[in-house]
Amino acid sequence: MTAPGPLRAFFNPMQKKHGPGVAPSSTARKLAAMIWHVLTTGKDYAYARPAFTAMKLWKVALKAGAPRAYGKAGPGRDYWIKELRDREARDVARVEQAYERSVAAWKEKPKKPP
């Protein structure tokens, strides 16, 4: 996986430990669980990149037949502001690192006394 985020932080160690056959299906199962939680709770995905999401939704709306609005800023205009896009990517990368640290803390076992 190339996109930063908690799913990549889950996928990469899974692939190293269990191989390339298990990692995609495990990640897909985790993704399905995340989607289910978002849909049942009605909350937004916590690690979404707002500018990226707005651009994707705008492209889907255009494909569905929404009229193009020339000359004025649409909902996906923040995507074209590089500073905002980079800041969102850094935030998601920070979340990925936090997830990796928390998983590493789960795996640490206390040392046995001598």
Side-chain angles (χ1 to χ4, degrees):
M1 294 184 83
T2 57
L7 286 176
R8 183 172 77 171
F10 176 79
F11 177 84
N12 289 338
M14 181 70 69
Q15 187 174 24
K16 289 177 188 170
K17 184 175 181 182
H18 297 287
V22 174
S25 58
S26 297
T27 306
R29 184 176 188 280
K30 188 167 195 71
L31 178 61
M34 290 168 66
I35 291 170
W36 182 82
H37 283 289
V38 167
L39 292 175
T40 56
T41 61
K43 296 179 182 176
D44 289 337
Y45 177 58
Y47 309 112
R49 295 169 57 187
F52 198 59
T53 304
M55 176 54 74
K56 286 183 177 184
L57 292 174
W58 179 241
K59 286 182 178 182
V60 167
L62 288 176
K63 285 184 180 181
R68 289 188 176 269
Y70 293 102
K72 61 180 182 179
R77 89 174 157 78
D78 287 348
Y79 178 77
W80 300 107
I81 302 172
K82 185 164 175 38
E83 293 82 24
L84 289 176
R85 214 171 49 234
D86 290 344
R87 184 175 54 213
E88 288 178 0
R90 281 193 309 272
D91 291 344
V92 171
R94 242 190 325 262
V95 168
E96 178 182 352
Q97 291 170 351
Y99 181 85
E100 288 172 348
R101 282 193 306 268
S102 67
V103 169
W106 296 339
K107 293 180 181 179
E108 290 178 6
K109 295 181 180 178
K111 294 182 179 179
K112 294 182 181 179

Coordinates of all heavy atoms in Angstrom, one line a residue, residues 16-79:
K16 N 4.6 -8.5 6.2 CA 6.0 -9.1 6.6 C 5.8 -10.3 7.4 O 6.6 -11.3 7.3 CB 6.7 -8.0 7.4 CG 7.2 -6.9 6.5 CD 7.9 -5.8 7.4 CE 8.2 -4.6 6.5 NZ 8.7 -3.5 7.3
K17 N 4.8 -10.4 8.3 CA 4.7 -11.5 9.2 C 4.0 -12.7 8.6 O 4.4 -13.8 8.7 CB 3.9 -11.0 10.4 CG 3.7 -12.1 11.5 CD 3.1 -11.6 12.7 CE 3.0 -12.7 13.8 NZ 2.3 -12.2 15.0
H18 N 2.9 -12.4 7.8 CA 2.1 -13.5 7.3 C 2.2 -13.7 5.8 O 1.6 -14.7 5.3 CB 0.6 -13.3 7.7 CG 0.4 -13.3 9.1 ND1 0.4 -14.4 9.9 CD2 0.1 -12.3 10.0 CE1 0.2 -14.1 11.2 NE2 0.0 -12.8 11.2
G19 N 2.8 -12.9 5.1 CA 3.0 -13.0 3.6 C 2.0 -12.3 2.8 O 1.0 -11.7 3.3
P20 N 2.3 -12.2 1.5 CA 1.5 -11.4 0.6 C 0.1 -12.0 0.3 O -0.8 -11.3 -0.2 CB 2.3 -11.4 -0.7 CG 3.1 -12.6 -0.7 CD 3.4 -12.9 0.8
G21 N -0.2 -13.2 0.7 CA -1.6 -13.7 0.5 C -2.5 -13.4 1.6 O -3.7 -13.2 1.4
V22 N -2.0 -13.2 2.8 CA -2.9 -13.0 4.0 C -3.2 -11.5 4.2 O -4.3 -11.1 4.5 CB -2.3 -13.6 5.2 CG1 -3.1 -13.2 6.5 CG2 -2.2 -15.1 5.1
A23 N -2.2 -10.7 3.9 CA -2.3 -9.2 4.2 C -3.4 -8.5 3.5 O -4.2 -7.8 4.2 CB -0.9 -8.6 3.9
P24 N -3.6 -8.7 2.2 CA -4.7 -8.0 1.6 C -6.1 -8.4 2.1 O -7.0 -7.6 2.3 CB -4.6 -8.4 0.1 CG -3.2 -8.8 -0.1 CD -2.8 -9.4 1.2
S25 N -6.3 -9.7 2.3 CA -7.6 -10.1 2.8 C -7.8 -9.6 4.3 O -8.9 -9.2 4.6 CB -7.8 -11.6 2.8 OG -6.7 -12.3 3.5
S26 N -6.8 -9.6 5.1 CA -6.9 -9.1 6.5 C -7.2 -7.6 6.4 O -8.0 -7.1 7.2 CB -5.7 -9.4 7.3 OG -5.4 -10.7 7.4
T27 N -6.5 -6.9 5.6 CA -6.8 -5.4 5.5 C -8.2 -5.2 4.9 O -8.8 -4.2 5.4 CB -5.7 -4.8 4.6 OG1 -4.4 -5.2 5.1 CG2 -5.8 -3.3 4.6
A28 N -8.6 -5.9 4.0 CA -10.0 -5.8 3.4 C -11.0 -6.0 4.5 O -12.0 -5.3 4.6 CB -10.2 -6.7 2.3
R29 N -10.8 -7.0 5.4 CA -11.7 -7.3 6.5 C -11.7 -6.1 7.4 O -12.8 -5.7 7.9 CB -11.3 -8.5 7.2 CG -12.2 -9.0 8.3 CD -11.8 -10.3 8.9 NE -12.8 -10.8 9.8 CZ -12.9 -10.4 11.0 NH1 -12.1 -9.5 11.5 NH2 -13.9 -11.0 11.8
K30 N -10.5 -5.5 7.7 CA -10.5 -4.4 8.6 C -11.2 -3.2 8.0 O -11.9 -2.5 8.7 CB -9.0 -4.1 8.9 CG -8.8 -3.0 10.0 CD -7.4 -3.0 10.5 CE -7.2 -2.3 11.7 NZ -7.7 -2.9 12.9
L31 N -11.0 -3.0 6.7 CA -11.6 -1.9 6.0 C -13.2 -2.1 6.0 O -13.9 -1.1 6.3 CB -11.1 -1.8 4.6 CG -11.8 -0.8 3.7 CD1 -11.5 0.6 4.2 CD2 -11.3 -0.9 2.3
A32 N -13.6 -3.3 5.8 CA -15.1 -3.5 5.9 C -15.6 -3.2 7.3 O -16.7 -2.6 7.4 CB -15.4 -5.0 5.5
A33 N -14.9 -3.6 8.3 CA -15.3 -3.3 9.7 C -15.3 -1.8 9.9 O -16.3 -1.2 10.6 CB -14.4 -4.0 10.7
M34 N -14.3 -1.0 9.4 CA -14.3 0.4 9.6 C -15.5 1.1 8.9 O -16.1 2.0 9.4 CB -13.0 1.0 9.0 CG -11.8 0.6 9.9 SD -10.2 0.9 9.1 CE -10.2 2.7 9.0
I35 N -15.8 0.6 7.7 CA -16.9 1.1 6.9 C -18.2 0.9 7.7 O -19.1 1.7 7.8 CB -17.0 0.5 5.5 CG1 -15.8 1.1 4.7 CG2 -18.3 0.8 4.8 CD1 -15.6 0.4 3.3
W36 N -18.4 -0.3 8.2 CA -19.6 -0.7 8.9 C -19.7 0.2 10.1 O -20.8 0.7 10.4 CB -19.5 -2.2 9.4 CG -20.7 -2.6 10.1 CD1 -21.9 -3.0 9.6 CD2 -20.9 -2.6 11.6 NE1 -22.8 -3.3 10.6 CE2 -22.2 -3.1 11.8 CE3 -20.1 -2.3 12.6 CZ2 -22.7 -3.2 13.1 CZ3 -20.6 -2.5 13.9 CH2 -21.9 -2.9 14.1
H37 N -18.6 0.5 10.9 CA -18.7 1.4 12.0 C -19.1 2.8 11.6 O -19.9 3.5 12.3 CB -17.4 1.4 12.8 CG -17.2 0.2 13.6 ND1 -18.0 -0.1 14.8 CD2 -16.4 -0.9 13.5 CE1 -17.6 -1.2 15.3 NE2 -16.7 -1.7 14.6
V38 N -18.5 3.3 10.5 CA -18.8 4.6 10.0 C -20.3 4.7 9.7 O -21.0 5.7 10.0 CB -17.9 5.0 8.8 CG1 -18.5 6.3 8.1 CG2 -16.5 5.3 9.3
L39 N -20.8 3.7 9.0 CA -22.2 3.7 8.6 C -23.2 3.6 9.7 O -24.2 4.2 9.7 CB -22.4 2.6 7.5 CG -21.8 2.8 6.2 CD1 -22.0 1.6 5.3 CD2 -22.3 4.1 5.5
T40 N -22.9 2.7 10.7 CA -23.8 2.5 11.8 C -23.8 3.6 12.8 O -24.8 3.9 13.4 CB -23.5 1.1 12.5 OG1 -22.2 1.1 12.9 CG2 -23.8 0.0 11.5
T41 N -22.6 4.2 13.0 CA -22.6 5.3 14.0 C -23.0 6.7 13.4 O -23.3 7.6 14.2 CB -21.2 5.4 14.7 OG1 -20.2 5.7 13.6 CG2 -20.8 4.2 15.4
G42 N -22.8 6.8 12.1 CA -23.1 8.1 11.5 C -22.1 9.1 11.6 O -22.2 10.3 11.3
K43 N -20.9 8.7 12.2 CA -19.8 9.7 12.3 C -18.9 9.7 11.1 O -18.9 8.7 10.3 CB -19.0 9.3 13.5 CG -19.7 9.4 14.9 CD -18.8 8.9 16.0 CE -19.5 9.0 17.3 NZ -18.7 8.5 18.4
D44 N -18.2 10.7 10.9 CA -17.2 10.8 9.8 C -16.0 10.0 10.1 O -15.7 9.7 11.3 CB -16.8 12.3 9.6 CG -17.9 13.1 9.0 OD1 -18.8 12.6 8.4 OD2 -17.8 14.3 9.2
Y45 N -15.3 9.5 9.0 CA -14.1 8.8 9.2 C -13.0 9.7 9.8 O -12.8 10.8 9.3 CB -13.6 8.3 7.8 CG -12.3 7.5 7.8 CD1 -12.1 6.4 8.6 CD2 -11.3 8.0 7.0 CE1 -10.9 5.7 8.6 CE2 -10.1 7.3 7.0 CZ -9.9 6.2 7.8 OH -8.7 5.5 7.8
A46 N -12.5 9.3 10.9 CA -11.6 10.2 11.7 C -10.3 10.6 10.9 O -9.7 11.6 11.2 CB -11.2 9.5 13.0
Y47 N -9.9 9.7 10.0 CA -8.6 10.0 9.4 C -8.7 10.5 7.9 O -7.8 10.4 7.1 CB -7.7 8.7 9.4 CG -7.6 8.2 10.8 CD1 -8.2 7.0 11.1 CD2 -7.0 8.9 11.8 CE1 -8.1 6.5 12.4 CE2 -6.9 8.5 13.1 CZ -7.5 7.2 13.4 OH -7.5 6.8 14.7
A48 N -9.9 11.0 7.6 CA -10.1 11.5 6.2 C -9.3 12.7 5.9 O -9.0 13.5 6.8 CB -11.6 11.8 6.0
R49 N -9.0 12.9 4.7 CA -8.3 14.1 4.2 C -9.4 15.0 3.5 O -9.8 14.6 2.4 CB -7.2 13.7 3.3 CG -6.1 12.9 4.0 CD -5.1 12.3 3.0 NE -4.5 13.4 2.2 CZ -3.7 13.1 1.2 NH1 -3.4 11.8 0.9 NH2 -3.1 14.0 0.5
P50 N -9.8 16.0 4.2 CA -11.0 16.8 3.7 C -10.8 17.3 2.2 O -11.8 17.2 1.4 CB -11.1 18.0 4.6 CG -10.4 17.5 5.9 CD -9.3 16.6 5.4
A51 N -9.7 17.8 1.9 CA -9.5 18.4 0.5 C -9.6 17.2 -0.5 O -10.2 17.3 -1.6 CB -8.2 19.1 0.4
F52 N -8.9 16.1 -0.2 CA -8.9 15.0 -1.1 C -10.3 14.4 -1.2 O -10.7 14.1 -2.4 CB -7.9 13.9 -0.5 CG -7.4 12.9 -1.4 CD1 -6.7 13.2 -2.5 CD2 -7.6 11.6 -1.1 CE1 -6.3 12.3 -3.4 CE2 -7.2 10.6 -2.0 CZ -6.5 11.0 -3.1
T53 N -11.0 14.3 -0.1 CA -12.4 13.8 -0.2 C -13.3 14.7 -1.0 O -14.1 14.2 -1.8 CB -12.9 13.6 1.2 OG1 -12.0 12.8 2.0 CG2 -14.3 13.0 1.2
A54 N -13.2 16.0 -0.8 CA -14.0 16.9 -1.6 C -13.7 16.8 -3.1 O -14.7 16.9 -3.9 CB -13.7 18.4 -1.1
M55 N -12.5 16.6 -3.4 CA -12.1 16.5 -4.9 C -12.7 15.2 -5.4 O -13.3 15.2 -6.5 CB -10.6 16.5 -5.1 CG -10.2 16.3 -6.5 SD -10.9 17.4 -7.7 CE -10.0 18.9 -7.3
K56 N -12.6 14.1 -4.7 CA -13.2 12.9 -5.2 C -14.7 13.0 -5.3 O -15.3 12.5 -6.3 CB -12.9 11.7 -4.2 CG -11.5 11.3 -4.3 CD -11.2 10.1 -3.4 CE -9.8 9.6 -3.5 NZ -9.6 8.4 -2.7
L57 N -15.4 13.6 -4.3 CA -16.9 13.8 -4.4 C -17.3 14.7 -5.6 O -18.3 14.4 -6.2 CB -17.4 14.3 -3.1 CG -17.3 13.3 -1.9 CD1 -17.8 14.0 -0.6 CD2 -18.2 12.1 -2.2
W58 N -16.5 15.7 -5.8 CA -16.7 16.6 -7.0 C -16.6 15.9 -8.3 O -17.4 16.0 -9.2 CB -15.8 17.8 -6.9 CG -16.0 18.8 -8.0 CD1 -15.0 19.1 -8.9 CD2 -17.1 19.5 -8.3 NE1 -15.6 20.1 -9.8 CE2 -16.9 20.3 -9.4 CE3 -18.4 19.6 -7.8 CZ2 -17.8 21.2 -10.0 CZ3 -19.3 20.5 -8.3 CH2 -19.0 21.2 -9.4
K59 N -15.6 15.0 -8.4 CA -15.4 14.2 -9.7 C -16.6 13.3 -9.9 O -17.0 13.1 -11.0 CB -14.1 13.5 -9.6 CG -12.9 14.4 -9.9 CD -11.6 13.6 -9.9 CE -10.4 14.5 -10.1 NZ -9.1 13.8 -10.2
V60 N -17.0 12.7 -8.8 CA -18.2 11.7 -8.9 C -19.4 12.5 -9.3 O -20.2 12.1 -10.2 CB -18.4 11.0 -7.6 CG1 -19.7 10.3 -7.5 CG2 -17.3 10.0 -7.3
A61 N -19.6 13.7 -8.7 CA -20.8 14.5 -9.1 C -20.7 14.9 -10.6 O -21.8 14.9 -11.3 CB -20.8 15.8 -8.2
L62 N -19.5 15.2 -11.1 CA -19.4 15.6 -12.5 C -19.7 14.4 -13.4 O -20.4 14.6 -14.4 CB -18.0 16.1 -12.8 CG -17.7 17.5 -12.2 CD1 -16.2 17.8 -12.5 CD2 -18.6 18.6 -12.8
K63 N -19.3 13.2 -13.0 CA -19.6 12.0 -13.8 C -21.1 11.7 -13.7 O -21.6 11.1 -14.7 CB -18.8 10.8 -13.3 CG -17.3 10.9 -13.7 CD -16.6 9.7 -13.3 CE -15.1 9.8 -13.7 NZ -14.3 8.6 -13.3
A64 N -21.7 12.1 -12.6 CA -23.2 11.8 -12.5 C -24.0 12.8 -13.2 O -25.2 12.7 -13.3 CB -23.5 11.8 -11.0
G65 N -23.4 13.9 -13.8 CA -24.1 14.8 -14.6 C -24.3 16.2 -14.0 O -25.0 17.0 -14.5
A66 N -23.6 16.5 -12.9 CA -23.6 17.8 -12.3 C -23.0 18.8 -13.3 O -22.1 18.5 -14.0 CB -22.9 17.9 -11.0
P67 N -23.6 20.0 -13.4 CA -23.1 21.0 -14.3 C -21.7 21.6 -13.8 O -21.5 21.7 -12.7 CB -24.1 22.2 -14.3 CG -24.8 22.0 -13.0 CD -24.8 20.5 -12.7
R68 N -20.8 21.8 -14.8 CA -19.5 22.4 -14.5 C -19.7 23.9 -14.2 O -20.4 24.5 -15.0 CB -18.5 22.2 -15.6 CG -18.1 20.7 -15.8 CD -17.0 20.7 -16.8 NE -16.5 19.3 -16.9 CZ -15.5 18.9 -16.2 NH1 -14.9 19.6 -15.3 NH2 -15.1 17.6 -16.3
A69 N -19.1 24.3 -13.2 CA -19.2 25.8 -12.9 C -17.8 26.4 -13.1 O -16.9 26.2 -12.4 CB -19.6 26.0 -11.4
Y70 N -17.7 27.0 -14.3 CA -16.5 27.7 -14.6 C -16.3 29.0 -14.0 O -17.3 29.8 -13.9 CB -16.4 27.8 -16.2 CG -16.3 26.5 -16.9 CD1 -17.4 25.9 -17.5 CD2 -15.1 25.8 -16.9 CE1 -17.3 24.7 -18.1 CE2 -15.0 24.6 -17.5 CZ -16.1 24.1 -18.2 OH -16.0 22.9 -18.8
G71 N -15.1 29.4 -13.6 CA -14.8 30.7 -13.1 C -15.0 30.9 -11.6 O -14.7 31.9 -11.0
K72 N -15.7 29.9 -10.9 CA -15.8 30.0 -9.5 C -15.3 28.8 -8.8 O -15.2 27.7 -9.4 CB -17.3 30.3 -9.0 CG -18.2 29.2 -9.4 CD -19.6 29.6 -9.0 CE -20.6 28.5 -9.3 NZ -22.0 28.9 -8.8
A73 N -14.9 29.0 -7.5 CA -14.3 27.8 -6.8 C -15.3 26.8 -6.4 O -16.4 27.2 -5.9 CB -13.6 28.4 -5.6
G74 N -15.0 25.6 -6.7 CA -15.9 24.5 -6.4 C -15.5 23.9 -5.1 O -14.6 24.3 -4.4
P75 N -16.2 22.8 -4.7 CA -16.0 22.2 -3.4 C -14.6 21.5 -3.3 O -14.1 21.4 -2.2 CB -17.1 21.2 -3.2 CG -17.6 20.9 -4.6 CD -17.3 22.2 -5.4
G76 N -14.0 21.2 -4.4 CA -12.7 20.5 -4.4 C -11.5 21.5 -4.6 O -10.4 21.0 -4.8
R77 N -11.7 22.8 -4.5 CA -10.7 23.7 -4.8 C -9.5 23.6 -3.8 O -8.4 23.9 -4.2 CB -11.2 25.1 -4.8 CG -11.1 25.8 -3.5 CD -11.5 27.3 -3.5 NE -12.0 27.6 -2.2 CZ -11.2 27.9 -1.2 NH1 -9.9 27.8 -1.3 NH2 -11.7 28.2 0.0
D78 N -9.8 23.2 -2.6 CA -8.7 23.1 -1.6 C -7.7 22.0 -2.0 O -6.5 22.1 -1.6 CB -9.2 22.7 -0.2 CG -9.9 23.9 0.5 OD1 -9.8 25.0 -0.1 OD2 -10.6 23.7 1.5
Y79 N -8.1 21.1 -2.8 CA -7.2 20.0 -3.2 C -6.0 20.6 -4.0 O -4.9 20.1 -4.0 CB -7.9 19.0 -4.1 CG -7.1 17.9 -4.6 CD1 -6.6 16.9 -3.8 CD2 -6.6 17.9 -5.9 CE1 -5.8 15.9 -4.2 CE2 -5.8 16.9 -6.4 CZ -5.4 15.9 -5.5 OH -4.6 14.9 -6.0

